[in-house]
Amino acid sequence: MKLRENALLQVAPQVVTPSSPGAGFNRYPWKRNIMTTVFWVGERPTVNNPVPNYKSSWDPQWARNYGGYDDPDSSRRRNFLPANFVPRQNPFYVALPYNDVTRGTTKPESRKVIPWFKQAFERPGKSVCKGRWIAIRFGSRICYAQWEDCGPFRTDHFQYVFGNERPRPNLNQGAGLDISPAVRDYLGMGNKDVTDWKFVEARDVPAGPWTKYGDNNTFVLQRRGANLFLVDRNNAYGARR
């Protein structure tokens, strides 16, 4: 395994041109012109980001389960990965400003506002949002990533995440999407820029670097022959069969 990881780290960064999305790609509308910022697993708190990212809204051991510090410094990254380890979770991740669970139970509005709630709901207090796929567009490029945390700043803005409202004012110019360093690097963005994003079903996610790594990755799990209804229920109904 160590030899395999070392070999991966010797590979020069690659830009993968995905195949065309599936017919269901247009089910969800684009959220256009959204101020987008970069965050990362293990990020320390700052004035504009007061919450440390050692844990996520859904995983109190996020940094440990990810496998380490997802260093955002491009000089210390290779092939969309941190240079010193291969993450145990998908390095293509995002945060959106809504959490469907609180104090161990499911928020009452979730059943009404989350489009896939009925298919994904398993029990109170278990998120139906964690791990869902989104597409992020910057210029002519589109990247795909999984929803793994809540923010920036808010965890209650369902009117924006699932509706037609714009992100509300905050310290980062009204940012409404946080993306990982891998997403930033694939899209060729800076650390703050304007993007479009939308939800997508797993079946409409084309092959790319976002399908390669992670015990939480729908496509890695499928290659292992896992039953998605047991290990990735939030994407199971929207996955290829």
Side-chain angles (χ1 to χ4, degrees):
M1 180 61 72
K2 187 65 177 178
L3 289 173
R4 173 181 173 274
E5 292 182 7
N6 289 339
L8 282 170
L9 297 177
Q10 300 302 315
V11 179
Q14 300 175 359
V15 174
V16 180
T17 302
S19 55
S20 299
F25 184 76
N26 292 322
R27 176 183 176 187
Y28 301 104
W30 286 104
K31 308 282 187 179
R32 299 180 186 275
N33 300 316
I34 302 300
M35 180 59 68
T36 301
T37 49
V38 178
F39 81 131
W40 53 93
V41 177
E43 182 178 5
R44 296 173 180 84
T46 64
V47 173
N48 284 1
N49 179 37
V51 180
N53 289 326
Y54 299 112
K55 60 182 180 179
S56 75
S57 293
W58 298 310
D59 184 355
Q61 301 293 329
W62 195 24
R64 177 182 297 179
N65 292 331
Y66 187 78
Y69 178 66
D70 195 20
D71 197 329
D73 187 332
S74 296
S75 69
R76 294 195 284 270
R77 300 186 68 82
R78 302 287 185 276
N79 206 27
F80 308 114
L81 306 178
N84 61 345
F85 71 100
V86 176
R88 294 197 296 267
Q89 295 185 353
N90 193 349
F92 289 82
Y93 54 86
V94 302
L96 290 168
Y98 182 71
N99 190 347
D100 59 328
V101 298
T102 183
R103 301 179 185 275
T105 191
T106 299
K107 290 181 178 178
E109 74 275 358
S110 297
R111 186 179 300 274
K112 297 179 181 179
V113 302
I114 300 174
W116 58 84
F117 183 93
K118 183 177 180 180
Q119 290 83 5
F121 181 75
E122 187 173 352
R123 55 178 170 78
K126 184 175 181 181
S127 175
V128 302
C129 297
K130 184 181 186 301
R132 286 288 300 200
W133 288 89
I134 79 165
I136 309 102
R137 181 171 62 191
F138 180 68
S140 61
R141 297 184 67 77
I142 298 179
C143 186
Y144 297 81
Q146 290 182 270
W147 184 2
E148 293 294 340
D149 198 9
C150 302
F153 297 100
R154 309 186 67 97
T155 61
D156 60 352
H157 199 184
F158 64 86
Q159 299 93 335
Y160 154 64
V161 175
F162 304 108
N164 296 320
E165 283 193 9
R166 297 289 298 175
R168 292 172 184 163
N170 56 47
L171 294 175
N172 277 336
Q173 297 176 257
L177 173 66
D178 272 338
I179 59 171
S180 72
V183 176
R184 173 202 64 191
D185 294 346
Y186 183 87
L187 291 173
M189 288 176 50
N191 288 327
K192 185 186 293 184
D193 225 315
V194 175
T195 70
D196 306 328
W197 72 269
K198 65 184 295 183
F199 290 114
V200 291
E201 299 289 359
R203 70 172 66 94
D204 296 316
V205 175
W210 44 80
T211 63
K212 292 183 176 182
Y213 303 101
D215 295 336
N216 63 328
N217 191 314
T218 307
F219 304 97
V220 172
L221 292 167
Q222 283 185 313
R223 289 194 294 271
R224 293 174 180 172
N227 184 339
L228 295 184
F229 288 94
L230 296 178
V231 297
D232 189 19
R233 186 179 178 88
N234 292 346
N235 289 304
Y237 285 91
R240 298 182 183 90
R241 297 200 176 93

